[in-house]
Amino acid sequence: MIEFNNVSKHFDEVIALENINLTIKKNDFFGVIGMSGAGKSTLIRLINGLILPDEGRVDVNGLSLSLLKERELNKLRQTIGMIFQHFNLINQKDVLDNVTLPLKLQGVSKAERKEKGLEMLRLVQLEDKADAYPAQLSGGQKQRVAIARALINDVDILLCDEATSSLDPISTQSILDLLKDLHKKLNLTIVMITHEMKVIQQVCHKMAVLDNGKLVETGRVKDIFTHPTHPKTKELLFVQDTTDFSNKDKPQLRLIFDGYNAFEPIISELVLQTEQAVNILWANTQEVEELVYGQMLIQVPSLSQELLDFLDGRNITYQVEGKL
Ligand SMILES: Nc1ncnc2c1ncn2[C@@H]1O[C@H](COP(=O)(O)OP(=O)(O)OP(=O)(O)O)[C@@H](O)[C@H]1O
Ligand SMILES: [Mg+2]
């Protein structure tokens, strides 16, 4: 559905994107992560033709954007919706007028606009706010309005640029849940740009990592969480484990959860089985698609064979650290 072929883009001296190759398939929920300035917004703006590549090709739905005439490009753009970090609503217009603005620009009649607008507001569970003004809404509600507006043309593709970055954790969760729901219900292809791993982890199935204008890793979210290969991915995935656990007078074990182990039962079973006190020194585990990934550093009074057998029996990868 979306294809980048050797795409480069620079702004004067700044190379925003360099030689990007990327395929996003129909109905993918695709996340792109990277630090500030990595080129994420540039990448997303290339998808709807807001900017064109200096080199290479961006194809959407089989059409090469650089080759399209303005009119054809506008037509293609109507099949692509976009939402932003700061919602970009018009404060002087009420919710219904904000949502239906794209239709107004297309010359759709008022009655038709209203009907379609209310239908979209129902979809984002905000029907009762049709007459409210943006200033009367919470951040999460404003983003719902923006989503309704982005989808009003029955789009195939939804582009999200840091769509939850200015929301509190609860609103973030509800927007992510809504996007997940709409992705399924409307058969959307979603491209989600973010600098937060937890956003990708909660909703995306595939992902790419951008570092300094280069695509350094692409694949299934599950695989990348289990086996991140690029240092940048590791950095984004796990907070650097820099704490010095200098009390190394007892054995320490680093447990690596690879996606098949529920985390809490393992620790309590470990305590029951070995009758040893287990001290959790540090943990960085995350759930993806209901499986646990990450690492945990534990300290035990002594390293018994029973303990190691227990871990082997559960297929938990571990590494012994500290004093044996
Ligand atoms: N219109 C522009 N003119 C000049 N430089 C630009 C322009 N747009 C982007 N850049 C530069 O290109 C690089 C990539 O910018 P981009 O906005 O794509 O990064 P980003 O990953 O979205 O960052 P952020 O997380 O801060 O939004 C940056 O160095 C930026 O300063
Ligand atoms: Mg950006």
Side-chain angles (χ1 to χ4, degrees):
M1 186 137 223
I2 300 166
E3 185 134 12
F4 282 67
N5 259 304
N6 298 315
V7 171
S8 296
K9 179 73 194 173
H10 63 83
F11 298 101
D12 301 321
E13 256 85 278
V14 181
I15 301 172
L17 290 175
E18 198 178 343
N19 203 24
I20 302 291
N21 287 293
L22 178 68
T23 302
I24 298 173
K25 297 202 169 119
K26 187 167 170 53
N27 210 221
D28 273 352
F29 202 137
F30 200 104
V32 180
I33 192 167
M35 305 275 198
S36 187
K40 304 182 297 295
S41 295
T42 305
L43 183 109
I44 218 166
R45 286 158 70 213
L46 282 163
I47 298 175
N48 60 8
L50 277 177
I51 51 176
L52 294 172
D54 300 326
E55 281 165 51
R57 266 176 46 193
V58 179
D59 293 355
V60 176
N61 253 335
L63 299 171
S64 187
L65 297 191
S66 304
L67 303 177
L68 296 182
K69 301 208 171 65
E70 191 60 27
R71 209 169 55 89
E72 297 165 319
L73 190 59
N74 282 335
K75 202 169 151 218
L76 180 68
R77 276 199 194 118
Q78 284 186 12
T79 68
I80 306 174
M82 186 159 175
I83 57 172
F84 309 86
Q85 179 175 359
H86 298 295
F87 326 121
N88 298 5
L89 301 179
I90 298 173
N91 290 325
Q92 295 76 16
K93 289 187 183 289
D94 69 17
V95 164
L96 187 66
D97 283 347
N98 264 286
V99 170
T100 56
L101 188 65
L103 299 183
K104 191 173 183 184
L105 299 175
Q106 290 157 32
V108 175
S109 77
K110 192 166 180 184
E112 217 176 307
R113 286 201 312 260
K114 184 172 178 186
E115 191 190 330
K116 185 71 186 177
L118 290 175
E119 181 195 327
M120 298 317 291
L121 284 173
R122 250 194 312 280
L123 201 61
V124 299
Q125 294 132 37
L126 218 58
E127 227 183 335
D128 54 330
K129 297 286 183 194
D131 302 325
Y133 283 82
Q136 299 168 299
L137 304 178
S138 70
Q141 289 171 331
K142 285 182 198 169
Q143 195 59 293
R144 280 170 192 268
V145 175
I147 292 170
R149 180 185 58 189
L151 299 178
I152 199 154
N153 272 317
D154 298 323
V155 301
D156 305 319
I157 299 173
L158 180 64
L159 307 175
C160 314
D161 193 348
E162 299 280 4
T164 58
S165 295
S166 51
L167 300 178
D168 63 68
I170 292 172
S171 310
T172 294
Q173 190 58 53
S174 89
I175 292 296
L176 293 179
D177 288 343
L178 175 65
L179 289 174
K180 232 172 165 173
D181 183 47
L182 294 173
H183 171 252
K184 216 188 286 174
K185 211 184 274 177
L186 305 176
N187 231 355
L188 291 173
T189 304
I190 301 185
V191 184
M192 185 105 174
I193 299 288
T194 178
H195 63 275
E196 290 175 293
M197 209 61 212
K198 68 173 194 294
V199 167
I200 301 243
Q201 165 199 344
Q202 280 181 46
V203 290
C204 300
H205 305 119
K206 294 185 201 161
M207 64 179 288
V209 182
L210 259 185
D211 179 31
N212 236 330
K214 294 197 184 78
L215 210 61
V216 294
E217 198 153 353
T218 342
R220 285 188 56 87
V221 172
K222 244 194 242 186
D223 297 337
I224 290 181
F225 266 74
T226 352
H227 305 289
T229 56
H230 196 273
K232 192 47 135 197
T233 316
K234 291 181 187 166
E235 189 185 323
L236 289 162
L237 255 176
F238 301 113
V239 184
Q240 290 294 292
D241 178 11
T242 50
T243 321
D244 178 24
F245 300 103
S246 45
N247 177 20
K248 290 190 174 166
D249 55 331
K250 289 178 191 155
Q252 291 176 5
L253 281 168
R254 184 177 297 272
L255 310 183
I256 298 153
F257 292 89
D258 62 359
Y260 300 100
N261 311 299
F263 138 96
E264 275 168 57
I266 290 282
I267 299 304
S268 27
E269 268 182 65
L270 184 78
V271 173
L272 286 172
Q273 284 256 328
T274 61
E275 297 183 332
Q276 282 207 80
V278 173
N279 190 12
I280 300 177
L281 296 176
W282 173 89
N284 190 350
T285 56
Q286 330 210 19
E287 253 184 76
V288 190
E289 295 179 18
E290 285 155 26
L291 297 171
V292 176
Y293 297 90
Q295 300 188 4
M296 184 189 287
L297 195 62
I298 61 170
Q299 194 158 45
V300 287
S302 66
L303 260 192
S304 62
Q305 192 55 46
E306 204 181 357
L307 172 67
L308 301 182
D309 288 346
F310 173 85
L311 295 174
D312 287 334
R314 300 297 148 108
N315 269 326
I316 298 172
T317 312
Y318 60 87
Q319 200 173 306
V320 181
E321 296 174 10
K323 199 178 168 193
L324 300 189

